[in-house]
Amino acid sequence: MLTQIRILTKLELCNLYGLNVFRFSRDKKSRQKTLGLMALWLILLVMLICYVGGLSYGLIYLGLEAAVPAYLITLSGVLIFFFGMLKAGSIIFRREGYDMLCALPLRTGAIAVSRLLKMYVEDLLMTLAVLLPGIGVYIWNVGPGADFYLTVFLGIWIVPLLPMAASILLGTLIAGISCRMRHKSMISAGLSILAVLGILYGSSRLSAMQGSMDTEMLKDLSASIMALLEKVYPPAVWLGMAMIRGDISGTVACVGLSLAAFGAVAAAAALSFHKISRSLYSNFARHDYRMGRLKAESLLRSLCKRELRRYFSSSIYVTNTIIGPIMGCVLSAALFLSGTDFIKGVLPLPIDVEGIVPFVIAGVFCMMTATATSISMEGKNWWILKSLPLTAKNILDGKILMNLLLLLPFYLLSELFLIFALKPGAGELLWLLLIPAVLILFSCVYGIAVNLRFPLLEWESEVRVVKQSASSVLGGMGGFILSILCAVITGAVPGEYTAYLKAGICAVILVLTAVLYRSNNRFEI
């Protein structure tokens, strides 16, 4: 079995982040796009290194060097758990290649373990990107002894294991529950969204507990930070303190705990792999089908229905794109419950909250629009659409309309909360309704434009398209960045010119949207 795990893991890792395609592809355009994506990831990595290094230096400057390792371990653990929770089930129980692998003389446990090891390698790279810059700053400023280096070497490899185990357990439970139901993808997406909302609610409650700390607790800031980290992630404090003290026995105990927890969860996932996969990908046909009344529909409506069926057939696609609209409604409801006076009291600078709220809410709605990956999600079936007697405009209009219909109920609910919270006049009501609508329309068209230029049609898992492709990063965040920039500009302009500025912003965005829309329809697909 170990030989099978080694071979399967090598196959899983050979094309990590598309590197194998880059090495052997002879298509110059494909290599140029891969180089561009690598440059983008490099820029993000440099930004992360600068952020972590600055954060570590700030803690050391405040005399909180004892909290640096625990803080970094907690940060990496939260990132691994949050992102891993959304993709764990889709990676472990991936459909692509399942039939072929199960037909070979392979143990199903070996298939599951190889996929878990691929997740570990990806999460370990994220851990190293967070920990190494911070620990480097700590070493440069503090100059610890030799025991610190030994404990760091022993402990850094097991940092991803506990958050991975938690995300795998949650992903396996969601897949196991949804596989027994008829609408598997919808149930899986719903459970994932509930889990995310539960985590966000727990984080808000934790922040409230932090805000209730008294003066005596704030006198020892280091103790307060360590107490907060213990509430979030106790093993991070245990391992961090073992590193600071050079406690090799404590580090070995943390290693043993992490390996035991990860091993137990991995064994459970491996034992249930075949049963869950078979239930997820089995179809039960009804035999009482009767021919009903046939009816004709318009081309746009038919294509929109097709897009909706494709959208709701993928749980990872739904989960990754619906969180933004849900958060928009949650923020609008929070503003309605707390009131604008509370928000103004919390902000450090006097800001026109009523003026920037439409842009902020629009930015949340524009995060990870479905159109940013709608073409890539076609995968190897893209040729079917291209072979039909359809123009580019027909195909792309169906994708844009699907995204707009998907966002419409969330948009209306959010606007209702905002109207009750802000109580705007006639002029303010116009901008409150118009600004998010214009930005949402732009984000849908912009997402299509990016995905046309950075398509990813050869993929093994939908996670690669939704979370790791160039179009998901560039297309999914374009509307969000534009909304935040508009909010900053609006907040910096005096109030008497705000109406003219908002009118100009809406006009410019509409013109830009029209230009992109026309360019997309002329694109050779």
Side-chain angles (χ1 to χ4, degrees):
M1 184 173 176
L2 292 177
T3 303
Q4 294 181 3
I5 292 175
R6 178 177 59 81
I7 295 173
L8 290 172
T9 304
K10 184 178 179 180
L11 291 174
E12 290 281 347
L13 294 175
C14 68
N15 196 33
L16 188 66
Y17 300 117
L19 294 178
N20 208 43
V21 174
F22 175 74
R23 288 175 58 195
F24 299 104
S25 176
R26 296 183 179 180
D27 186 0
K28 291 184 179 180
K29 291 184 178 180
S30 176
R31 292 176 64 87
Q32 290 175 355
K33 290 180 180 179
T34 304
L35 283 173
L37 182 60
M38 292 173 64
L40 175 63
W41 284 115
L42 182 61
I43 292 172
L44 295 176
L45 179 61
V46 171
M47 293 173 61
L48 177 64
I49 290 174
C50 294
Y51 170 77
V52 173
L55 177 64
S56 302
Y57 180 78
L59 290 174
I60 295 172
Y61 180 78
L62 293 173
L64 305 175
E65 60 273 3
V68 170
Y71 200 97
L72 296 177
I73 294 171
T74 302
L75 178 63
S76 61
V78 170
L79 290 175
I80 291 171
F81 173 72
F82 187 79
F83 290 107
M85 175 192 65
L86 298 177
K87 66 179 183 180
S90 300
I91 291 179
I92 300 171
F93 307 104
R94 188 176 70 239
R95 183 172 188 173
E96 288 73 17
Y98 172 76
D99 294 335
M100 181 180 65
L101 290 175
C102 288
L104 298 175
L106 299 172
R107 294 189 179 183
T108 55
I111 301 173
V113 171
S114 66
R115 295 179 178 181
L116 291 175
L117 290 176
K118 180 186 178 182
M119 284 185 61
Y120 171 75
V121 172
E122 292 178 342
D123 292 339
L124 179 62
L125 293 176
M126 183 187 296
T127 300
L128 295 176
V130 174
L131 286 183
L132 291 183
I135 290 178
V137 172
Y138 177 86
I139 292 173
W140 180 267
N141 289 274
V142 178
D147 291 341
F148 175 81
Y149 296 93
L150 181 58
T151 53
V152 168
F153 178 77
L154 292 175
I156 199 169
W157 307 103
I158 56 97
V159 170
L161 292 183
L162 284 179
M164 267 189 67
S167 63
I168 291 169
L169 179 61
L170 188 58
T172 303
L173 288 175
I174 291 174
I177 294 172
S178 61
C179 75
R180 300 175 179 271
M181 302 181 182
R182 182 178 178 183
H183 302 287
K184 302 178 179 63
S185 60
M186 289 299 299
I187 298 299
S188 177
L191 292 175
S192 300
I193 292 169
L194 287 177
V196 172
L197 294 178
I199 293 172
L200 293 175
Y201 175 76
S203 301
S204 64
R205 295 296 300 170
L206 184 62
S207 300
M209 293 173 62
Q210 180 188 5
S212 63
M213 293 190 300
D214 54 21
T215 308
E216 294 298 326
M217 296 176 65
L218 290 175
K219 288 181 180 179
D220 191 352
L221 187 58
S222 178
S224 301
I225 291 178
M226 298 302 287
L228 178 62
L229 294 178
E230 283 186 348
K231 294 177 182 177
V232 177
Y233 188 24
V237 177
W238 304 338
L239 182 58
M241 294 306 298
M243 290 179 177
I244 292 295
R245 298 167 181 167
D247 185 2
I248 298 178
S249 60
T251 305
V252 171
C254 292
V255 171
L257 173 65
S258 301
L259 289 174
F262 181 78
V265 173
L271 290 174
S272 60
F273 174 77
H274 182 63
K275 185 177 181 180
I276 293 177
S277 297
R278 184 178 57 188
S279 300
L280 282 173
Y281 308 132
S282 297
N283 294 317
F284 300 93
R286 295 177 59 182
H287 299 286
D288 58 348
Y289 174 77
R290 296 180 181 181
M291 178 66 75
R293 181 169 173 257
L294 298 178
K295 60 179 180 179
E297 291 183 338
S298 66
L299 179 61
L300 181 59
R301 186 173 181 178
S302 300
L303 289 173
C304 183
K305 283 187 175 181
R306 176 189 177 277
E307 293 296 328
L308 286 171
R309 285 194 295 269
R310 178 65 186 93
Y311 177 79
F312 288 111
S313 66
S314 172
S315 60
I316 186 68
Y317 194 16
V318 174
T319 304
N320 201 65
T321 54
I322 209 70
I323 291 295
I326 292 177
M327 288 303 301
C329 294
V330 171
L331 290 177
S332 301
L335 182 62
F336 168 67
L337 295 175
S338 62
T340 56
D341 293 335
F342 174 79
I343 302 297
K344 292 177 181 178
V346 172
L347 294 176
L349 297 174
I351 295 176
D352 181 16
V353 175
E354 292 82 357
I356 67 171
V357 159
F359 294 103
V360 175
I361 297 298
V364 178
F365 269 85
C366 294
M367 291 176 62
M368 296 309 302
T369 53
T371 55
T373 51
S374 58
I375 295 173
S376 297
M377 288 296 292
E378 300 285 349
K380 297 178 180 179
N381 296 325
W382 179 235
W383 69 270
I384 298 177
L385 272 179
K386 293 177 66 176
S387 64
L388 295 175
L390 300 172
T391 64
K393 182 178 183 302
N394 297 144
I395 298 173
L396 301 180
D397 283 352
K399 296 181 180 297
I400 293 173
L401 180 60
M402 182 276 292
N403 202 167
L404 293 176
L405 291 177
L406 183 69
L407 297 176
L408 180 61
F410 298 99
Y411 165 77
L412 295 176
L413 181 60
S414 177
E415 290 292 336
L416 187 63
F417 281 125
L418 291 178
I419 290 172
F420 284 116
L422 302 178
K423 298 179 176 61
E428 290 79 5
L429 179 61
L430 173 64
W431 302 123
L432 188 63
L433 295 173
L434 184 61
I435 289 173
V438 169
L439 285 166
I440 288 172
L441 179 62
F442 166 80
S443 68
C444 295
V445 177
Y446 172 78
I448 288 286
V450 173
N451 203 193
L452 282 172
R453 289 151 182 83
F454 297 94
L456 179 63
L457 302 177
E458 298 289 335
W459 42 266
E460 304 85 15
S461 172
E462 293 173 344
V463 175
R464 173 86 188 281
V465 177
V466 175
K467 290 188 170 295
Q468 299 174 355
S469 63
S471 56
S472 66
V473 178
L474 297 175
M477 298 301 291
F480 172 76
I481 295 174
L482 178 61
S483 302
I484 299 303
L485 289 176
C486 293
V488 172
I489 295 172
T490 304
V493 172
E496 59 268 20
Y497 302 106
T498 303
Y500 300 103
L501 179 63
K502 290 178 179 179
I505 289 175
C506 290
V508 171
I509 294 175
L510 285 175
V511 170
L512 183 58
T513 303
V515 172
L516 284 176
Y517 178 76
R518 188 174 182 182
S519 175
N520 294 342
N521 293 338
R522 293 181 175 182
F523 197 86
E524 188 67 29
I525 63 175

